[in-house]
Amino acid sequence: MNTNSDSQSGETSDLGFGLGLDLTEKLVKRFGWQYEHRKEVTGHVVRVGF
């Protein structure tokens, strides 16, 4: 889980380019693992099942 500490102040910013999410998704597909990604107000939640 990646949270944005500024979310309580009403400010939202995208501090990354999503490269980690892209790489994770590629690895998950290659190895046939379970993958769930959802964007929330406070950040991203990603679950990987091995």
Side-chain angles (χ1 to χ4, degrees):
M1 179 181 296
N2 184 4
T3 59
N4 183 356
S5 61
D6 291 337
S7 64
Q8 280 79 27
S9 68
E11 272 186 48
T12 58
S13 63
D14 187 9
L15 300 176
F17 299 103
L19 181 58
L21 289 173
D22 289 342
L23 291 173
T24 301
E25 189 171 357
K26 286 181 182 183
L27 283 170
V28 165
K29 285 180 181 178
R30 180 179 179 120
F31 291 105
W33 299 332
Q34 295 175 352
Y35 176 77
E36 176 189 341
H37 169 234
R38 69 180 187 269
K39 187 173 181 180
E40 296 184 348
V41 175
T42 58
H44 293 266
V45 175
V46 175
R47 293 176 193 239
V48 177
F50 301 96

